[in-house]
């Protein structure tokens, strides 16, 4: 599961590294789909690890920070996320962020 999480996050980062993802609805939708897959992987508990193991919390936090920055970028004025054509991707990205924020809150409690 740890490798799957890392793979999903690398895929998200690779899609974000492509220029113009925040200005093209199709690219935003692709990134949002990848973010949803990544959020789903991060919401599955890793299980009980050795005492003091915080890898689950660290991975969830890392993805939450990435997702928050991507969501903030598409929410800005002028980005495709603030237009009707970008709404599905923006909504999906917000849902992924909400899922991973909830999981992070569980782990932090």
């Amino acid at each position: 599961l740890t490798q799957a999480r890392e793979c999903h996050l690398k895929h998200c980062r690779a899609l974000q590294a492509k220029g113009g993802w925040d200005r093209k609805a199709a690219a935003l939708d692709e990134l949002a789909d990848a973010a949803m897959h990544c959020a789903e992987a991060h919401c599955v508990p890793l299980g009980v690890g050795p005492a003091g193991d915080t890898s689950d919390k660290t991975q969830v936090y890392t993805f939450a920070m990435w997702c928050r920055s991507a969501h903030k970028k598409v929410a800005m004025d002028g980005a495709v996320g603030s237009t009707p054509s970008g709404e599905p991707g923006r909504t999906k990205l917000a849902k992924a962020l909400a899922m991973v924020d909830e999981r992070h809150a569980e782990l932090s409690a």
Side-chain angles (χ1 to χ4, degrees):
L1 186 58
T2 299
Q3 287 181 326
R5 287 176 171 183
E6 289 173 5
C7 185
H8 285 302
L9 184 54
K10 284 180 183 178
H11 183 219
C12 288
R13 287 178 173 158
L15 290 172
Q16 190 180 24
K18 292 180 182 177
W21 67 269
D22 57 327
R23 294 183 300 276
K24 299 174 189 161
L28 176 58
D29 289 343
E30 185 179 9
L31 181 74
D33 286 338
M36 279 301 297
H37 290 297
C38 196
E40 289 164 0
H42 280 81
C43 287
V44 175
L46 284 180
V48 179
D53 181 20
T54 59
S55 60
D56 194 14
K57 185 176 178 180
T58 302
Q59 288 179 356
V60 170
Y61 179 77
T62 300
F63 176 66
M65 291 295 98
W66 174 86
C67 198
R68 190 169 287 121
S69 72
H71 183 262
K72 184 177 180 181
K73 183 164 178 125
V74 298
M76 292 184 337
D77 292 337
V80 73
S82 61
T83 66
S85 65
E87 189 59 33
R90 181 177 163 199
T91 302
K92 196 175 280 189
L93 203 53
K95 185 178 178 184
L97 178 59
M99 286 172 59
V100 79
D101 276 345
E102 184 178 320
R103 177 72 178 131
H104 186 259
E106 288 173 15
L107 291 172
S108 297

